């Protein structure tokens, strides 16, 4: 039996809920006034490093990245 429930608009647009919620969060951050805007944009940064693995052990981290919001 097929469901006749309404499909959420983000699903109908071909997005996942995570994509939709990230778009909404970015819009809210951009609408904030200073100093709240700067604080929220700083929380959006993501820092990580990549390491090569050899013989089941990580080598020294070679790449450091900071991802900034778009």
């Amino acid at each position: 039996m097929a469901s006749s429930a309404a499909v959420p608009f983000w699903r109908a647009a071909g997005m996942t809920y995570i994509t939709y919620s990230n778009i909404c969060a970015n819009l809210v951050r951009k609408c904030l006034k200073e100093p709240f805007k700067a604080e929220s944009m700083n929380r959006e940064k993501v820092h990580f490093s990549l390491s090569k693995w050899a013989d089941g052990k990580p080598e020294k981290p070679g790449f450091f990245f900071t991802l900034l919001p778009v």
Side-chain angles (χ1 to χ4, degrees):
M1 183 168 120
S3 174
S4 61
V7 177
F9 65 90
W10 50 267
R11 177 68 70 197
M15 288 190 262
T16 64
Y17 182 75
I18 297 296
T19 304
Y20 165 71
S21 63
N22 283 337
I23 291 170
C24 291
N26 283 332
L27 288 172
V28 169
R29 284 186 204 102
K30 290 179 182 179
C31 292
L32 292 173
K33 292 182 179 180
E34 292 297 338
F36 306 109
K37 185 175 185 176
E39 290 175 17
S40 68
M41 294 306 253
N42 283 337
R43 274 185 258 133
E44 182 67 12
K45 292 179 185 173
V46 177
H47 305 282
F48 67 95
S49 64
L50 296 177
S51 299
K52 290 187 177 184
W53 286 67
D55 299 322
K57 296 182 182 179
E59 295 177 356
K60 288 185 177 180
F63 303 101
F64 294 96
F65 295 96
T66 300
L67 296 178
L68 302 174
V70 185

